[in-house]
Amino acid sequence: MRKIFSVHTTLSLVILLLLLNACRKVDEHKKLVESQPWLADTYTLNGRYGIYEWQYPSLWVVGDTAMLIGKFFTNTPGSDIRVGGVSVKVVEHVEIDPNKLYNTGGIQMETLDLVRFVVTKEMGIGQQRPVVITANGITISGAPLSIQDFAASVGRTDTTLVVDKLLHWVPANADALNKKGYAFLRTVHCDRNGAIWFDNALSINVVTGGQVNAFLSAGDKITDDKGAAFTIKHVLSSAISFDGNTLFFSIEDKEASTDTVNNYIFRLCKMEVSSRSVTTLNRTLVLNKTALLDEDAAPFQGSIDRLKTVAMYLNADLQNNLTYTNYYAPPSVAEDHSYWMSVIGGGQINMEPYGNNVALICRLDINGKVTALMGAGYMGDAKPFILTPGIHVASSLCFVDPSGKYVYGMANVDDWRTQLLKYDVQQEDVVASVRAAAAIFVLHSYDTVPATKGVGPMSISVIDWTGMTYNFNTLMVLSDGSLLAATGGSLFNYDMEQRTVYCYAGVENAFGASAPGQDKLTGKAKWVNFGGAALIGQDKTNAIYYCQGALGTDGIDFYKLHSEGK
């Protein structure tokens, strides 16, 4: 019996040891699992943050407040969430109770972390941006996602679009503007948050919160970051960066200098909006009388501070490269530049001086280097007085792709008709072109109502370099690279490469004139009359801003075209 008892005891001890070891391994496994970071694919929020069922994202837009849910051990030293290799700055952390619905490794989660943070440009623009979580010495990766400057484009007629009126504006100095023949609005852009920035000859203004405020005005005294003091005499042009942080502006100035005796003085500047710190990028003199000798306008390319530049029609792309037209007039024995100055300083919309002056579309990159893109003044058999680098175009006006990759110019063909050129900035060449009035764009119809359904085909004849003083901002390049044009009573979206077009907003068959019943100013976009709309730009949600009345003297109406609820 003693022997049998010994065997039973030994077996029991072995089993006990095995059980204890198994329990220890289970405990160790539990601790390991519980200490590991983890990312949820879905989570039911029941309306919190306006979300019922949260899903792991595939796309973020710069400036948005992003959300991730999982186990991040946010309060534990060494924990880190990185997107595109950049540590996020958590603006909100909430511990949430998953109500025993979530588990990992077979172990139920008692709490989860919800974190929110702002998506930044430093995280990288494009696809396959990595998401990496580190905690307790363990690193995991989530599914990579895309980051864009703009929300995704619908790519077809969006029946949810509505138009809101932002405000009607008559400048306080309307009498002074009208007396001098100055337009109320000349160059106009918007930033990612929908703030509209525009200028006239006497001020640079910003539209926010339903009102217009002057940001800079003629008579303002400025001291730049090098200590140079000057006063704004009048504004030539301006452009806001997409992030809203940097304002570029071109002015004629007054200053305490002997240069003012015989010269007009022009400056191209940039200002950090928050601090109002100003950097002079270029200062150029233009002789205000005839010269003893003709002088050259070159060089046309190189470092911005070494060039002779009178910049107008400023456009900033997403990377803060600046596109503008240089109208510098060199010293001349025949001309005192009084006529040239009457055009440059005339304060009118889309005025282009042609004579003994440069008319050169340029690109200034973020490193201060200027590249010539398009030389204007090639009309029929005529050539410009001053020959410059760049492809040949008729007009010194252009349209800029927000990405900065393309610039669209207007050349002369077929007895003063317009050829629209798509110029690749990197390749330094035209990659596509279309004869605006003769082009055939196949209409993609999304309207099922016979009375308003379009039949096509369509041209893009609204683009006419000979009539730009009457067609103010009737075309702009959208965030997806397509072209938006105000034609007839509606807005149409053109794909230049595919030669297709669809109605972006308005009545589909109203490409000659507004359709019956299309007489609204606000409300459902289909019935809004977009005739005469001056297109301004898009914000990060792809909402489109435009104005009416820019060519008149009764004031400007600003509008927002957007999906309902956004």
Side-chain angles (χ1 to χ4, degrees):
M1 293 293 293
R2 188 175 298 169
K3 186 176 181 180
I4 294 173
F5 176 79
S6 177
V7 171
H8 284 177
T9 302
T10 301
L11 287 172
S12 298
L13 288 171
V14 170
I15 292 170
L16 179 60
L17 288 171
L18 289 171
L19 288 173
L20 289 172
N21 188 52
C23 290
R24 181 176 61 81
K25 288 185 176 181
V26 168
D27 289 340
E28 288 176 351
H29 175 70
K30 184 173 184 294
K31 288 180 181 179
L32 178 63
V33 171
E34 289 178 340
S35 67
Q36 285 185 335
W38 174 79
L39 273 165
D41 293 323
T42 62
Y43 191 87
T44 302
L45 288 172
N46 290 321
R48 191 171 189 171
Y49 305 105
I51 302 170
Y52 182 79
E53 188 73 19
W54 175 86
Q55 294 186 345
Y56 185 86
S58 60
L59 171 67
W60 283 334
V61 175
V62 173
D64 282 354
T65 301
M67 180 189 299
L68 289 175
I69 297 174
K71 285 296 291 183
F72 308 133
F73 303 93
T74 308
N75 298 322
T76 302
S79 296
D80 190 25
I81 302 172
R82 300 176 71 84
V83 177
V86 176
S87 294
V88 307
K89 295 181 179 179
V90 175
V91 297
E92 183 180 15
H93 168 228
V94 179
E95 287 191 350
I96 51 180
D97 180 3
N99 196 26
K100 300 180 180 180
L101 295 177
Y102 293 82
N103 71 81
T104 180
I107 298 173
Q108 287 183 346
M109 294 287 190
E110 295 181 4
T111 61
L112 291 179
D113 297 307
L114 182 154
V115 296
R116 300 173 75 222
F117 53 89
V118 177
V119 180
T120 66
K121 204 167 189 175
E122 289 70 29
M123 295 173 184
I125 305 300
Q127 300 177 346
Q128 298 293 308
R129 307 310 303 157
V131 178
V132 178
I133 314 295
T134 298
N136 300 318
I138 302 169
T139 297
I140 66 166
S141 296
L145 44 74
S146 297
I147 296 179
Q148 298 179 178
D149 280 294
F150 293 90
S153 174
V154 175
R156 55 163 293 161
T157 304
D158 183 354
T159 58
T160 70
L161 292 178
V162 294
V163 173
D164 294 330
K165 185 175 180 178
L166 301 178
L167 78 156
H168 174 75
W169 176 71
V170 177
N173 61 345
D175 288 343
L177 291 165
N178 286 329
K179 185 177 180 179
K180 291 180 177 293
Y182 295 160
F184 289 174
L185 175 150
R186 193 164 49 175
T187 48
V188 56
H189 308 278
C190 72
D191 67 22
R192 64 175 298 102
N193 295 314
I196 299 171
W197 293 73
F198 69 94
D199 62 67
N200 54 50
L202 300 182
S203 61
I204 298 173
N205 309 279
V206 58
V207 181
T208 54
Q211 61 184 9
V212 177
N213 293 303
F215 190 78
L216 288 174
S217 298
D220 284 357
K221 299 180 185 301
I222 295 174
T223 301
D224 70 12
D225 57 0
K226 302 297 183 183
F230 55 92
T231 301
I232 298 175
K233 187 173 182 180
H234 79 263
V235 178
L236 298 184
S237 188
S238 63
I240 190 68
S241 61
F242 187 65
D243 60 18
N245 295 332
T246 306
L247 175 69
F248 297 92
F249 61 93
S250 177
I251 61 169
E252 181 194 2
D253 80 23
K254 296 184 290 185
E255 56 189 66
S257 167
T258 56
D259 288 337
T260 61
V261 176
N262 295 318
N263 300 281
Y264 306 109
I265 304 176
F266 298 92
R267 286 181 188 263
L268 176 62
C269 303
K270 69 175 182 180
M271 173 188 279
E272 296 306 312
V273 172
S274 59
S275 67
R276 298 180 77 94
S277 173
V278 173
T279 299
T280 296
L281 301 172
N282 180 277
R283 177 181 179 270
T284 291
L285 306 179
V286 174
L287 196 64
N288 61 16
K289 62 180 184 178
T290 56
L292 297 176
L293 295 171
D294 288 332
E295 293 187 20
D296 193 0
F300 302 106
Q301 305 183 97
S303 180
I304 181 63
D305 59 345
R306 298 181 181 180
L307 305 182
K308 300 164 186 175
T309 301
V310 178
M312 294 182 69
Y313 307 116
L314 274 56
N315 276 281
D317 65 28
L318 294 174
Q319 284 72 45
N320 281 0
N321 301 303
L322 186 70
T323 303
Y324 62 90
T325 303
N326 181 12
Y327 291 112
Y328 171 70
S332 167
V333 297
E335 296 185 25
D336 63 3
H337 299 138
S338 57
Y339 173 74
W340 172 86
M341 189 61 197
S342 71
V343 179
I344 289 291
Q348 287 296 307
I349 286 172
N350 286 353
M351 296 301 290
E352 301 179 77
Y354 288 112
N356 186 18
N357 62 269
V358 175
L360 182 62
I361 299 171
C362 301
R363 179 179 184 266
L364 170 63
D365 68 21
I366 58 174
N367 297 313
K369 179 185 176 183
V370 174
T371 303
L373 305 181
M374 303 176 185
Y378 292 87
M379 314 168 197
D381 294 328
K383 294 181 179 181
F385 188 86
I386 297 176
L387 301 180
T388 64
I391 65 166
H392 296 174
V393 291
S395 175
S396 57
L397 305 176
C398 66
F399 311 96
V400 180
D401 176 8
S403 72
K405 186 175 181 180
Y406 302 108
V407 174
Y408 294 78
M410 293 175 283
N412 175 71
V413 291
D414 296 340
D415 298 326
W416 304 87
R417 293 180 180 267
T418 300
Q419 180 147 347
L420 186 64
L421 307 176
K422 183 177 183 179
Y423 181 85
D424 188 306
V425 172
Q426 299 302 320
Q427 295 184 28
E428 298 184 352
D429 199 4
V430 175
V431 293
S433 65
V434 60
R435 297 191 178 192
I440 296 177
F441 287 82
V442 176
L443 177 66
H444 285 181
S445 174
Y446 299 101
D447 194 339
T448 59
V449 180
T452 53
K453 185 179 179 65
V455 292
M458 290 180 61
S459 71
I460 193 169
S461 56
V462 68
I463 304 305
D464 178 8
W465 74 265
T466 66
M468 295 305 290
T469 54
Y470 310 104
N471 293 305
F472 176 57
N473 283 22
T474 52
L475 182 139
M476 76 175 190
V477 189
L478 296 181
S479 61
D480 63 2
S482 61
L483 306 178
L484 186 71
T487 302
S490 299
L491 300 179
F492 289 89
N493 184 281
Y494 292 83
D495 186 317
M496 194 164 164
E497 282 74 21
Q498 300 299 319
R499 294 292 199 275
T500 58
V501 60
Y502 68 88
C503 182
Y504 190 96
V507 176
E508 196 175 78
N509 63 7
F511 44 77
S514 59
Q518 190 183 7
D519 54 4
K520 307 297 186 293
L521 297 176
T522 61
K524 191 174 177 62
K526 179 173 182 177
W527 301 111
V528 169
N529 184 355
F530 293 97
L535 304 174
I536 295 172
Q538 289 175 285
D539 65 20
K540 66 182 181 182
T541 70
N542 279 335
I544 288 175
Y545 297 81
Y546 66 95
C547 64
Q548 296 276 15
L551 296 175
T553 58
D554 296 327
I556 311 292
D557 294 306
F558 293 93
Y559 296 92
K560 178 181 180 180
L561 171 65
H562 62 103
S563 293
E564 201 164 12
K566 292 185 179 180

